[in-house]
Amino acid sequence: MAERFFEEMVNKGIVPNVVTYNVMLNGICRRASLHPEERFERTIRDAEKMFGEMRERGVEPDVTSYSVLLHVYSRSHKPELTLSKLKEMMDKGIYPTVATYTSVVKCLCSCGRLEDAEALLNAMVGNGVSPSAATYNCFFKEYRGRKDVDNALKLYRKMKEESPFLPSMHTYNILVGMFVKLNRMEIVKEIWDDMKAISAGPDLDSYTLLIHGLCDKHKWREACQFFVEMIENGILPQKVTFETLYRGLIQSDMLRTWRRLKKKLEEESRTFSSEFEHYHLKPYTR
């Protein structure tokens, strides 16, 4: 329908500008899955055709045009094509934005090309573009997959030096999930304290990741401590968290601890109103 409307516009003699073309490019590039490979090729063919049409009409693609295309290459895990298109863009004197750089960094990191991603990060800073939390998160996700504690911690501390407010809640949650899984509780404490110091959180995801990680390590007392803190902060635990802790405490013969937790939750139930009514648990049999 958008294509028909676009054609009608041109037929009426209304000349599309770069904004019009970018809307169309966005529709072409983000409308569908890029797998299998034929879909990716068809999407790129349609987008390149739109680029050609723009130039024929004397409309030069801008940073948004290239960013949309780079996003497709990134989603399809095509590092060489992504770098080539970035170079083409810069050769034409079009300077990438933080979102453009982040798309390329994401592609390089997800393809395991961390050295190239780090080089691009340095080039980005050298060109006067400050990385965002989303840019750094690309690295953290790859470090998490590699269980690379040293580089994740080094980058996190570098990020804090730039600004204590730079990490996003998503950054904190990636790192909390990673380090609790690796049983590096001293680092989890550092991140948790940082998050609280700037009043960024913790949020529901932070508590859920931490409590479930502690349950996996059979650290029931610590899990209970954060469960209580979560309730006191007015955050209702997910039912799965409730059940995981319940089963673990029963299996570990900590029924009295469970009763105290349940009483605490019931005391605070007014905060959660009708949400808590759905949390009835069936008696657990070992």
Side-chain angles (χ1 to χ4, degrees), residues 50-104:
M50 185 67 71
F51 261 64
E53 188 180 314
M54 285 172 79
R55 290 187 175 114
E56 282 174 14
R57 286 203 165 98
V59 179
E60 279 300 315
D62 64 3
V63 64
T64 303
S65 318
Y66 278 100
S67 294
V68 170
L69 203 52
L70 282 166
H71 183 72
V72 179
Y73 288 138
S74 178
R75 280 176 58 207
S76 305
H77 306 291
K78 305 283 186 185
E80 294 302 335
L81 286 172
T82 305
L83 288 170
S84 172
K85 190 57 71 174
L86 180 68
K87 184 178 183 302
E88 177 190 314
M89 171 184 177
M90 295 180 77
D91 286 346
K92 289 180 178 294
I94 300 169
Y95 293 98
T97 63
V98 62
T100 317
Y101 275 117
T102 299
S103 280
V104 183

Side-chain angles (χ1 to χ4, degrees), residues 20-224:
T20 318
Y21 278 111
N22 287 343
V23 170
M24 292 301 296
L25 276 169
N26 196 53
I28 290 166
C29 293
R30 298 181 192 238
R31 66 185 174 184
S33 166
L34 299 175
H35 303 284
E37 186 72 15
E38 301 85 67
R39 285 185 182 173
F40 165 75
E41 288 173 357
R42 185 174 68 240
T43 299
I44 290 302
R45 196 163 51 242
D46 290 347
E48 292 289 3
K49 182 182 173 185
M50 185 67 71
F51 261 64
E53 188 180 314
M54 285 172 79
R55 290 187 175 114
E56 282 174 14
R57 286 203 165 98
V59 179
E60 279 300 315
D62 64 3
V63 64
T64 303
S65 318
Y66 278 100
S67 294
V68 170
L69 203 52
L70 282 166
H71 183 72
V72 179
Y73 288 138
S74 178
R75 280 176 58 207
S76 305
H77 306 291
K78 305 283 186 185
E80 294 302 335
L81 286 172
T82 305
L83 288 170
S84 172
K85 190 57 71 174
L86 180 68
K87 184 178 183 302
E88 177 190 314
M89 171 184 177
M90 295 180 77
D91 286 346
K92 289 180 178 294
I94 300 169
Y95 293 98
T97 63
V98 62
T100 317
Y101 275 117
T102 299
S103 280
V104 183
V105 167
K106 183 178 181 181
C107 178
L108 294 171
C109 286
S110 64
C111 293
R113 293 177 56 168
L114 277 174
E115 286 185 10
D116 290 334
E118 285 162 5
L120 186 61
L121 185 69
N122 292 333
M124 176 180 180
V125 173
N127 288 332
V129 181
S130 298
S132 65
T135 316
Y136 284 111
N137 290 347
C138 301
F139 289 94
F140 290 131
K141 287 175 185 176
E142 183 61 20
Y143 291 142
R144 179 181 61 188
R146 296 181 180 206
K147 300 179 182 177
D148 188 342
V149 171
D150 292 340
N151 279 316
L153 195 55
K154 182 180 171 185
L155 185 62
Y156 171 64
R157 286 174 178 162
K158 178 188 172 187
M159 192 179 182
K160 279 198 303 178
E161 282 173 15
E162 288 183 28
S163 167
F165 298 97
L166 183 53
S168 64
M169 274 312 305
H170 189 41
T171 309
Y172 287 120
N173 290 340
I174 292 168
L175 294 172
V176 166
M178 173 185 174
F179 289 122
V180 75
K181 195 170 280 189
L182 296 173
N183 206 23
R184 296 296 301 270
M185 297 311 296
E186 75 285 1
I187 303 176
V188 172
K189 185 179 184 309
E190 176 187 335
I191 293 165
W192 200 264
D193 289 346
D194 289 343
M195 184 171 26
K196 291 171 89 170
I198 62 164
S199 303
D203 64 3
L204 174 62
D205 289 340
S206 316
Y207 279 112
T208 302
L209 283 163
L210 184 53
I211 293 168
H212 282 258
L214 291 167
C215 289
D216 288 344
K217 305 291 181 191
H218 293 180
K219 295 187 175 186
W220 304 113
R221 293 197 186 282
E222 292 94 329
C224 290

